[in-house]
Amino acid sequence: MASQWHQSPPPTQLSDSDSDGESSTSKLLRHSDLSESIFKSYFNFSGHSSTNATSADLSKIQSFLTSSSSGALSCLICLERIKPSDPTWSCTSLCFAVFHLFCIQSWSRQASDLAAARAVTRLSISQDQASETSLWNCPKCRVEYPKSLIPKTYLCFCGKLENPPSDDPWVLPHSCGEVCGRSLKNNCGHRCLLLCHPGPCPSCPQLVKARCFCGSHQDTRRCGFKEFSCEAPCSKVLDCGVHRCAEICHRGTCPPCRTRGVYRCQCGKVKEERECCDRVFQCDDPCEKKLSCGKHVCQKGCHSGECGECPLQGRRTCPCGKRVYEGMPCDAPMQVCGATCDKMLPCGYHRCHERCHRGQCIETCRIVVRKCCRCGSLKKDVPCYQDLACERKCLTMRDCGRHPCKRRCCDGDCPPCSEICGRRLRCRNHKCQSPCHRGPCAPCPIMVTISCACGETHFEVPCGTEMDQKPPRCRKKCPIMPLCRHASICKPHKCHYGACPPCRLPCGEEYQCGHACKLRCHGARPPPKPEFTLKPKKKKNIQQSESIPGTPCPPCPELEWRPCVGQHIGAEQMMVCSNKSQFSCENLCGNPLPCGNHYCTKTCHPLENRSPTKQLLKSEACEDCSLSCQKERKPTCQHHCPRRCHPGDCPPCKVLIKRSCHCGAMVHAFECIYYNGLSAKDQETARSCGGPCHRKMPNCTHLCPETCHPGQCPNPEKCCKKVTVRCKCQTLKKEWLCQDVQAAHNRAGRDPSDIPKNQFGVGLIPCNSDCERKVQVVESELQLRKSRVTEVKEPDNEKSIPKRRKKRDRVVESNEPTTLQKMISRTKQFFLFVFLLVILVAATHYGYKGLLWLNDWMNKVDEQRHRSSRIR
């Protein structure tokens, strides 16, 4: 049956711009035309076309087809794209969302295990029972499924075929290609006629006879839309049994009767105006009707029916119920028996210990008992009516595993966590608003709609994947008409964002010279549409884009060869025939300057000649050479010529150069031309100072005896200087030639250059008997000194004082003042003391006088005050 739908749709090419990328996107678009084949049987039966299909029926399927063709179908759990070859599972309850099979299996197992663990903790049931009754929910619509419905195999959308093929280009991915055949909604008895498809099945297209909601009219309608309203009054009898429904024909039960009237309460005392649905009511007054005894009245509230017998007639007891009275009239007062009341108090544990009494027993049991708080951490003797609670906060983690209970004196049954989860979802745009929970958060339920520019083609993607999606490829034609002169012959193009593709036809307009414009069309273009974006930029003033005006045709583009003004060879240019002006080739002039060494560096400029247009151009002289001379001098030296660039040879170099002699004792100054004119041998001779070499020999401490010479000193091993040679104890000494000392060291296997200066001749002569006698004398002196250890000698402080300190002491002794200087300093100190004493005496004298004057002045002021007070 499905083979009749597997026909290749004819290719459609609407514009040149769409044909370029057709080959590269053929794999993406292989399912783009499957909507007609999937809906064909439904449209044939219902008599509609794809353009007349209701959005409520087919929008879910159409959105899936559009997202599948655009490669935007994504799994809500992992937010990865669902490929045609990936095993999937789709929800069949409300949302019909598609997930990876592995993702939904992992999700369902985790959710069911978490639900089982929560049930074991809160309901105190066994692990097996909790595992059997655990539920898991759909990540999007949150519909609950039992654990037995955890998907195990990869089925097509209709559930008929296991592991549907994914390599057929004319079958919808994850579909078997057969007729769906699932039962339609409302259990009408008919089955779906579409090919195996995602999403909910559309409404039943069968024609049936149906009545309206009120049942007064009958009509032939589609089975999926058989419930309708006749738009007439309902007129059904309401619950009151008196009035009829005045609403328009409606679904469901009729509303309560709202007709108003005057009604009595149940006891008949009060009349009120009420709605018919509230006609039965009770007033706030007691009944107060005479009972059957004729002595008492009814104490009940407003009620209907008989009041009943008098409760004080017949068999009566005392208030505690222990003594019984027979035949006592109802108006006689009841006597107390005098026994203990012994009624159960409200606490339920203790009894009333008072004597038999009228009225209620005490409400608060005050018997002191030992109670334990709810958490069990505190025990205390308190009255029975008083609850005992400690101040200890419960630190047990709630079922979310993130927040502690923190209730005071918790009994261990911690309530579910009331905090909001608040963790960021995988979409990175929203936070989890569910109560705090264990395990992963549910996927973001928000779906983002991505549409084409015209809005006819759109699909929904999970939140968080919209930035990776592209707008769907809309097959509608772009409604914008071109504004150029080729509008009538230009091919139409598809719906798009941004500017329309430019016209690719040649312009074709003629110039005055007779040539035609061969450029691509440059006429006016329509205004561009805004570019595709999910988050448009907010601007206060959004100006509508205007059309782009066309540009006039340029001048005649025919070209001709024309030389530059400098008449350079090979610098001819092809110039537009409409442009008759001369040009410069922008190359260097290249003519030789008067110096004869350089060339003109100006850009191409006119010379004294005729141009090809027979116009005499004004000549322009070449530049003057202002560079310094850069010629190489002869003989060659490192100094430049101090003159400016000039013809001919440069003058001789007179710069003085310094060269040290070979031994480094002195520095010679030569003229550059003289020194560089010498040969290498003559230069070495000129650099020699003529004195001794003054360089140290490499194998000994003597200086080279040769005259100042280049290179290494000759024959260092044949030094003829005398060296004092000693034995090891340095008692014997002789004078040898230096070359003999070097030979002795070489025979002993020592390098003469490594021997210090003070040890150069030591140890070359063997010791004799004199050396031994001297050693014995030294040892005897040492023994003599040891015998005199008891004699204590004062340390020679002068010998132990360092030289710097002695020098500093001598300087201090030289700076000591003489007797005259001491007398002068003492005289100065005496005069300074006398001067300070005079100043102190004068200050005391004048201060005392000032105090006396101040005392007199104050006395005068007091006398004046007394006089003024007397006068008053």
Side-chain angles (χ1 to χ4, degrees):
M1 178 183 286
S3 62
Q4 58 181 335
W5 314 124
H6 301 172
Q7 298 178 2
S8 174
T12 303
Q13 184 173 348
L14 298 180
S15 66
D16 296 340
S17 62
D18 296 332
S19 64
D20 296 339
E22 195 71 27
S23 60
S24 62
T25 58
S26 60
K27 188 174 181 180
L28 263 178
L29 301 179
R30 64 179 185 175
H31 302 291
S32 60
D33 298 328
L34 291 179
S35 59
E36 294 183 2
S37 62
I38 292 175
F39 302 142
K40 186 174 182 180
S41 59
Y42 180 82
F43 293 150
N44 291 341
F45 192 88
S46 61
H48 296 284
S49 62
S50 60
T51 57
N52 299 328
T54 59
S55 59
D57 286 343
L58 305 176
S59 60
K60 203 79 175 179
I61 307 174
Q62 189 66 44
S63 176
F64 177 86
L65 294 176
T66 305
S67 59
S68 178
S69 63
S70 302
L73 190 64
S74 302
C75 175
L76 268 176
I77 299 176
C78 64
L79 296 183
E80 297 292 337
R81 294 188 178 183
I82 299 178
K83 301 178 181 178
S85 59
D86 293 341
T88 58
W89 177 86
S90 58
C91 178
T92 57
S93 298
L94 292 177
C95 62
F96 298 93
V98 182
F99 307 91
H100 285 118
L101 180 62
F102 177 78
C103 294
I104 195 65
Q105 287 176 344
S106 176
W107 171 273
S108 58
R109 291 192 186 98
Q110 291 181 7
S112 60
D113 293 344
L114 187 61
R118 190 183 297 112
V120 169
T121 304
R122 305 191 67 82
L123 302 180
S124 300
I125 58 178
S126 64
Q127 181 67 33
D128 296 338
Q129 186 179 359
S131 178
E132 291 176 0
T133 59
S134 61
L135 302 175
W136 60 277
N137 46 21
C138 172
K140 184 177 181 182
C141 62
R142 315 302 293 175
V143 172
E144 293 182 344
Y145 291 91
K147 190 174 182 179
S148 59
L149 292 183
I150 294 178
K152 300 179 181 179
T153 56
Y154 172 35
L155 300 175
C156 64
F157 293 115
C158 64
K160 296 178 182 177
L161 181 62
E162 185 176 347
N163 297 323
S166 60
D167 54 351
D168 192 345
W170 305 115
V171 175
L172 187 68
H174 319 295
S175 169
C176 62
E178 301 293 337
V179 176
C180 177
R182 286 183 287 183
S183 297
L184 297 178
K185 58 183 179 180
N186 300 327
N187 296 323
C188 64
H190 305 117
R191 296 186 177 274
C192 180
L193 300 176
L194 299 181
L195 296 184
C196 182
H197 63 88
C201 295
S203 301
C204 182
Q206 297 280 353
L207 291 175
V208 294
K209 289 185 178 180
R211 286 187 174 275
C212 63
F213 296 117
C214 65
S216 60
H217 291 78
Q218 185 177 1
D219 193 7
T220 302
R221 289 180 171 267
R222 298 286 178 189
C223 182
F225 305 97
K226 60 184 178 183
E227 296 181 353
F228 69 98
S229 173
C230 63
E231 301 299 330
C234 178
S235 299
K236 288 182 180 179
V237 179
L238 298 176
D239 295 337
C240 63
V242 179
H243 307 101
R244 293 183 177 272
C245 179
E247 300 287 335
I248 301 299
C249 181
H250 58 86
R251 185 192 305 269
T253 59
C254 295
C257 182
R258 300 297 179 183
T259 305
R260 300 188 68 84
V262 178
Y263 301 97
R264 285 182 177 272
C265 65
Q266 292 184 1
C267 65
K269 291 183 179 181
V270 179
K271 289 184 179 180
E272 288 185 2
E273 184 180 357
R274 286 175 169 266
E275 293 181 348
C276 183
C277 59
D278 296 333
R279 62 186 179 276
V280 180
F281 69 98
Q282 293 178 339
C283 64
D284 297 333
D285 298 332
C287 177
E288 293 184 351
K289 290 182 181 179
K290 286 287 186 180
L291 298 179
S292 59
C293 64
K295 299 177 182 180
H296 300 96
V297 295
C298 180
Q299 298 295 329
K300 298 180 182 178
C302 181
H303 63 88
S304 59
E306 296 295 334
C307 294
E309 298 293 334
C310 178
L312 300 179
Q313 285 182 345
R315 188 171 179 269
R316 298 173 66 184
T317 62
C318 65
C320 66
K322 294 180 179 179
R323 181 174 294 183
V324 180
Y325 298 96
E326 296 288 347
M328 182 178 285
C330 64
D331 56 347
M334 181 58 61
Q335 299 295 327
V336 294
C337 64
T340 302
C341 179
D342 206 25
K343 288 183 180 179
M344 185 65 68
L345 294 178
C347 66
Y349 298 102
H350 306 100
R351 295 181 179 275
C352 181
H353 57 275
E354 296 182 359
R355 290 184 176 275
C356 179
H357 58 86
R358 297 182 181 90
Q360 297 291 332
C361 296
I362 56 175
E363 296 182 358
T364 56
C365 179
R366 300 183 180 276
I367 298 175
V368 176
V369 295
R370 189 170 187 80
K371 284 189 176 183
C372 181
C373 65
R374 290 191 297 268
C375 66
S377 62
L378 179 63
K379 292 183 179 181
K380 191 177 181 181
D381 294 336
V382 293
C384 182
Y385 73 92
Q386 184 176 347
D387 294 332
L388 181 62
C390 66
E391 297 296 324
R392 179 176 174 271
K393 289 185 178 180
C394 180
L395 300 179
T396 305
M397 298 300 291
R398 298 190 180 183
D399 53 0
C400 66
R402 295 173 58 190
H403 303 102
C405 177
K406 290 187 177 181
R407 288 199 310 169
R408 295 186 183 275
C409 195
C410 179
D411 57 355
D413 186 14
C414 301
C417 186
S418 59
E419 300 286 339
I420 299 299
C421 177
R423 287 183 290 188
R424 189 169 294 278
L425 300 178
R426 291 196 64 179
C427 65
R428 302 295 181 183
N429 297 326
H430 306 94
K431 293 183 178 180
C432 181
Q433 298 299 323
S434 303
C436 192
H437 56 85
R438 287 181 181 270
C441 298
C444 183
I446 300 175
M447 301 294 289
V448 181
T449 302
I450 299 178
S451 63
C452 63
C454 64
E456 294 292 335
T457 307
H458 56 84
F459 59 86
E460 291 184 348
V461 296
C463 178
T465 62
E466 66 274 8
M467 302 307 295
D468 300 332
Q469 308 299 336
K470 296 180 180 179
R473 294 177 63 88
C474 182
R475 300 177 61 189
K476 305 289 183 180
K477 293 183 180 180
C478 180
I480 302 176
M481 293 297 296
L483 301 180
C484 64
R485 59 196 300 269
H486 307 107
S488 58
I489 59 176
C490 186
K491 293 182 180 180
H493 55 275
K494 294 181 182 179
C495 172
H496 61 87
Y497 282 96
C500 294
C503 179
R504 299 186 178 184
L505 299 177
C507 179
E509 290 193 11
E510 292 187 359
Y511 294 105
Q512 294 181 356
C513 60
H515 301 118
C517 181
K518 298 180 181 180
L519 300 178
R520 184 173 291 182
C521 179
H522 47 81
R525 289 195 294 172
K529 293 182 179 179
E531 293 294 337
F532 172 74
T533 177
L534 291 171
K535 297 180 180 179
K537 297 180 180 179
K538 297 181 180 179
K539 295 184 178 180
K540 295 182 180 179
N541 298 326
I542 303 178
Q543 299 180 357
Q544 296 183 353
S545 57
E546 300 178 356
S547 59
I548 302 174
T551 56
C553 293
C556 181
E558 293 295 332
L559 303 177
E560 61 178 359
W561 289 104
R562 187 174 301 170
C564 64
V565 295
Q567 301 296 323
H568 293 104
I569 298 175
E572 294 84 1
Q573 291 185 3
M574 293 291 290
M575 298 189 66
V576 181
C577 68
S578 59
N579 186 8
K580 304 299 181 183
S581 61
Q582 299 299 312
F583 73 94
S584 173
C585 65
E586 302 298 332
N587 293 327
L588 298 179
C589 175
N591 289 326
L593 296 178
C595 65
N597 301 322
H598 302 95
Y599 297 92
C600 181
T601 58
K602 284 186 177 181
T603 55
C604 180
H605 58 87
L607 304 175
E608 291 184 357
N609 56 357
R610 291 272 184 176
S611 65
T613 56
K614 297 182 181 180
Q615 296 179 357
L616 184 63
L617 299 177
K618 185 177 180 181
S619 63
E620 182 179 350
C622 294
E623 63 181 352
D624 295 331
C625 184
S626 59
L627 301 175
S628 59
C629 182
Q630 298 178 354
K631 292 181 181 179
E632 292 186 2
R633 290 186 167 184
K634 295 181 181 179
T636 305
C637 70
Q638 60 180 356
H639 306 107
H640 296 288
C641 180
R643 298 174 57 188
R644 288 189 176 275
C645 187
H646 57 86
D649 297 332
C650 298
C653 182
K654 299 292 185 179
V655 178
L656 293 177
I657 58 177
K658 295 181 179 181
R659 295 291 184 270
S660 63
C661 66
H662 302 299
C663 63
M666 62 182 301
V667 178
H668 300 281
F670 305 101
E671 286 187 354
C672 181
I673 187 172
Y674 166 74
Y675 184 77
N676 291 328
L678 299 176
S679 61
K681 186 175 181 180
D682 295 339
Q683 286 182 358
E684 291 182 357
T685 304
R687 289 179 59 183
S688 177
C689 62
C693 181
H694 290 292
R695 285 185 289 182
K696 184 180 177 182
M697 301 291 281
N699 295 335
C700 61
T701 59
H702 306 112
L703 300 179
C704 178
E706 300 292 333
T707 308
C708 181
H709 60 86
Q712 298 292 334
C713 294
N715 301 322
E717 70 280 356
K718 295 182 180 181
C719 180
C720 297
K721 296 295 182 69
K722 291 183 179 182
V723 178
T724 301
V725 180
R726 297 176 182 273
C727 63
K728 289 185 178 181
C729 64
Q730 297 186 6
T731 303
L732 303 178
K733 63 178 180 178
K734 292 182 181 180
E735 287 188 354
W736 288 8
L737 293 179
C738 184
Q739 57 184 0
D740 296 337
V741 175
Q742 295 182 30
H745 282 300
N746 290 328
R747 286 193 299 271
R750 296 189 295 269
D751 189 0
S753 59
D754 296 337
I755 299 174
K757 180 178 179 181
N758 55 354
Q759 298 292 332
F760 190 68
V762 177
L764 297 180
I765 300 175
C767 293
N768 56 8
S769 58
D770 296 336
C771 297
E772 295 178 359
R773 285 195 301 269
K774 185 178 180 181
V775 171
Q776 293 178 358
V777 171
V778 171
E779 291 179 356
S780 62
E781 290 180 356
L782 290 175
Q783 292 294 334
L784 183 61
R785 290 179 183 177
K786 289 181 180 180
S787 61
R788 299 177 182 178
V789 172
T790 54
E791 297 180 2
V792 180
K793 296 183 179 180
E794 295 181 1
D796 193 358
N797 295 331
E798 295 181 358
K799 293 182 180 180
S800 61
I801 296 175
K803 294 182 179 180
R804 292 185 179 179
R805 186 173 178 183
K806 292 179 180 180
K807 185 177 181 181
R808 186 169 60 251
D809 294 338
R810 287 195 298 269
V811 172
V812 172
E813 291 175 0
S814 62
N815 292 333
E816 288 182 359
T818 60
T819 305
L820 180 61
Q821 291 177 350
K822 290 181 180 180
M823 292 177 64
I824 293 173
S825 62
R826 289 177 182 175
T827 305
K828 289 181 179 180
Q829 292 176 1
F830 174 77
F831 282 115
L832 179 60
F833 174 77
V834 172
F835 177 73
L836 294 175
L837 183 61
V838 171
I839 291 175
L840 180 60
V841 172
T844 304
H845 174 71
Y846 288 107
Y848 179 74
K849 283 189 174 182
L851 290 174
L852 294 177
W853 177 83
L854 180 61
N855 188 20
D856 296 338
W857 178 76
M858 293 179 67
N859 293 334
K860 291 180 181 180
V861 171
D862 291 335
E863 290 178 359
Q864 290 177 0
R865 287 180 181 176
H866 286 296
R867 291 175 184 175
S868 60
S869 62
R870 290 176 182 176
I871 294 172
R872 291 178 183 176

